[in-house]
Amino acid sequence: MNILLVFTEMNQKYGALRSQHGLASISAVLKKAGHSVSLAYFSETLDLDQWQRQIAEFKPGVVGFYSTAEQFHFVKTLIEKVPEPIVTILGGPHATCYPACIEVVPRLNAICVGEGEYPMRELVEAVQAGKDYSGIQSLWVRKSGQVVRNGTRAFIDNLDELPYDDRDLFNTQEAIDKYGMAQFRIMASRGCPYGCTYCSNKKTSATQAGKYVRFRSAAHLMGELNEVKQKCHFDEIFFDDDIFMMNRTIVDEFCKRYPKEIGKPFVFCGRVELCNPEILKMLREAGGRRIDFGLESGNEEIRRSIMKRRMTNQEILDATNMAKAAGLQVKTLNMVGLPEETEEKFQDTITLNQQIKPDVV
């Protein structure tokens, strides 16, 4: 069966342009099952004539949309233009965190709550066979004017059972060349153990049973990196994990193999509480160029009471100094306009950054 996956990045100037791990993983699973998958990508304009031509030419049986909250307005417009009897399904953070969105899009047949690889494969198989798909776990399905709200399955326990992301779906090399970043993005794990109030992880971790924080083995990760190195030309790697250095056993093996097999600089996200000189030195010697820290606010009261981030300003300074001592560049991620934030309290964020002297803000 033909499956059309849809990704919008309207009004987005920075970040992982034309790259989305969830869709790439779903595509890999579907292709492994023998299906044909194509991508519809929108970034500069929402060309509805082109959209309808693409549907007519590819003739999909299922169209799957990915959406975050700020993209939902655009995705909704595209969904409403999909002709019957094509089955439409929405996944991604918006569907997972706000599944009631199905009620405001009558043309939407289903949504997926949580990880989508196996629910999507089951949906496609059911549609292909002409079977009822209203009972598939993790899906909310519109049926006879009502929405069937199925429970979710457990998180995928063994990430190594999944095929490598389908890089052909996004034409990764073309995206690297077009946007000039020469940066290849990959994930070594899923989930985050912290409960920061502003982050979708807090909601997502509660949507499915089982262990939320999971790691690919170093062998599986290095296998994908070696495959990509043969297929793509890039200058550095960005690890999209919320926190890259959580599993020490995997990091140890990665740091031994990476310089010999890949040998390119890489950027990763850290966490203040998990930093120590030994692991930072290991990552730097393996090729680490920069570590990104979520500072968010320099006001300890806001961080502790509103954001549920327990680290102190001194701990943040200690971790960033530790990273610099190891030879890593430091990037801080900051938020402006937080609840209860005054101009005076935001000055604390400026002051803390002035003390850190980050390479990138």
Side-chain angles (χ1 to χ4, degrees):
M1 175 178 278
N2 290 349
I3 301 98
L4 185 59
L5 299 179
V6 185
F7 185 44
T8 67
E9 288 186 303
M10 300 297 292
N11 304 324
Q12 183 170 322
K13 294 182 180 180
Y14 306 105
L17 298 172
R18 210 168 81 189
S19 173
Q20 209 292 309
H21 296 293
L23 289 178
S25 183
I26 287 170
S27 179
V29 168
L30 291 173
K31 285 184 176 180
K32 186 177 179 181
H35 302 289
S36 177
V37 185
S38 186
L39 178 75
Y41 176 66
F42 298 88
S43 61
E44 297 174 4
T45 60
L46 210 63
D47 188 334
L48 298 181
D49 291 334
Q50 174 59 36
W51 169 230
Q52 291 183 313
R53 284 196 298 272
Q54 188 169 2
I55 293 172
E57 291 170 5
F58 188 61
K59 297 180 175 59
V62 175
V63 180
F65 299 82
Y66 170 93
S67 186
T68 51
E70 84 283 355
Q71 294 292 312
F72 184 63
H73 167 75
F74 305 107
V75 170
K76 180 176 179 289
T77 300
L78 294 172
I79 294 171
E80 290 168 341
K81 297 295 183 181
V82 178
E84 299 279 1
I86 298 170
V87 174
T88 61
I89 179 170
L90 176 73
H94 191 61
T96 295
C97 295
Y98 186 61
C101 65
I102 191 175
E103 296 170 1
V104 300
V105 192
R107 180 61 190 90
L108 188 56
N109 298 113
I111 63 163
C112 179
V113 178
E115 292 174 321
E117 285 92 348
Y118 298 145
M120 188 68 169
R121 187 179 67 186
E122 289 180 27
L123 170 69
V124 169
E125 290 171 351
V127 172
Q128 186 175 41
K131 295 181 179 179
D132 177 29
Y133 55 82
S134 63
I136 294 176
Q137 274 188 306
S138 297
L139 299 189
W140 286 24
V141 179
R142 192 183 304 280
K143 183 179 182 181
S144 303
Q146 303 295 319
V147 175
V148 180
R149 296 167 170 80
N150 295 300
T152 55
R153 66 195 69 204
F155 288 110
I156 299 169
D157 182 57
N158 179 15
L159 297 182
D160 284 10
E161 73 186 34
L162 293 170
Y164 301 149
D165 281 1
D166 176 16
R167 308 292 173 184
D168 294 334
L169 180 71
F170 290 95
N171 197 340
T172 298
Q173 188 63 59
E174 182 182 293
I176 289 172
D177 295 341
K178 178 178 179 179
Y179 297 113
M181 297 178 73
Q183 191 180 71
F184 176 81
R185 304 177 80 104
I186 193 170
M187 290 187 76
S189 64
R190 290 187 182 184
C192 175
Y194 295 95
C196 305
T197 55
Y198 56 87
C199 180
S200 63
N201 273 306
K202 182 177 174 64
K203 176 74 172 179
T204 305
S205 64
T207 57
Q208 297 174 256
K211 192 175 182 180
Y212 181 54
V213 180
R214 293 144 295 152
F215 306 92
R216 297 168 62 182
S217 68
H220 194 260
L221 175 61
M222 292 304 301
E224 182 171 11
L225 287 170
N226 275 291
E227 181 180 281
V228 169
K229 185 180 178 182
Q230 298 301 316
K231 294 173 65 174
C232 296
H233 303 287
F234 54 91
D235 293 338
E236 73 173 17
I237 290 171
F238 187 98
F239 286 95
D240 265 321
D241 306 57
D242 291 302
I243 307 170
F244 178 62
M245 51 190 188
M246 286 189 287
N247 186 301
R248 181 58 188 268
T249 302
I250 294 173
V251 170
D252 283 351
E253 185 176 345
F254 167 83
C255 287
K256 289 175 184 175
R257 293 182 57 178
Y258 184 88
K260 301 173 186 176
E261 298 178 35
I262 309 300
K264 292 181 182 287
F266 62 89
V267 176
F268 61 98
C269 296
R271 178 85 182 193
V272 166
E273 298 94 323
L274 299 179
C275 286
N276 64 68
E278 183 184 7
I279 197 167
L280 291 172
K281 183 174 182 288
M282 281 175 51
L283 289 164
R284 175 69 185 103
E285 290 177 349
R289 177 177 71 81
R290 190 187 77 210
I291 181 170
D292 297 358
F293 288 107
L295 188 154
E296 319 310 1
S297 172
N299 183 274
E300 290 187 349
E301 179 188 358
I302 287 178
R303 242 190 3 255
R304 182 176 57 253
S305 64
I306 294 176
M307 311 181 83
K308 306 305 180 190
R309 291 176 69 86
R310 312 296 182 186
M311 71 281 283
T312 65
N313 282 1
Q314 187 57 55
E315 287 171 329
I316 292 173
L317 285 168
D318 290 345
T320 52
N321 287 334
M322 203 184 299
K324 287 183 176 184
L328 291 162
Q329 294 179 357
V330 169
K331 177 180 179 177
T332 63
L333 306 170
N334 303 271
M335 295 185 182
V336 184
L338 290 161
E340 299 184 20
E341 183 179 75
T342 62
E343 188 173 345
E344 183 181 40
K345 289 179 179 179
F346 179 66
Q347 183 62 44
D348 294 338
T349 304
I350 297 172
T351 300
L352 185 55
N353 274 280
Q354 289 172 332
Q355 293 171 323
I356 293 169
K357 296 182 176 63
D359 299 278
V360 186
V361 179

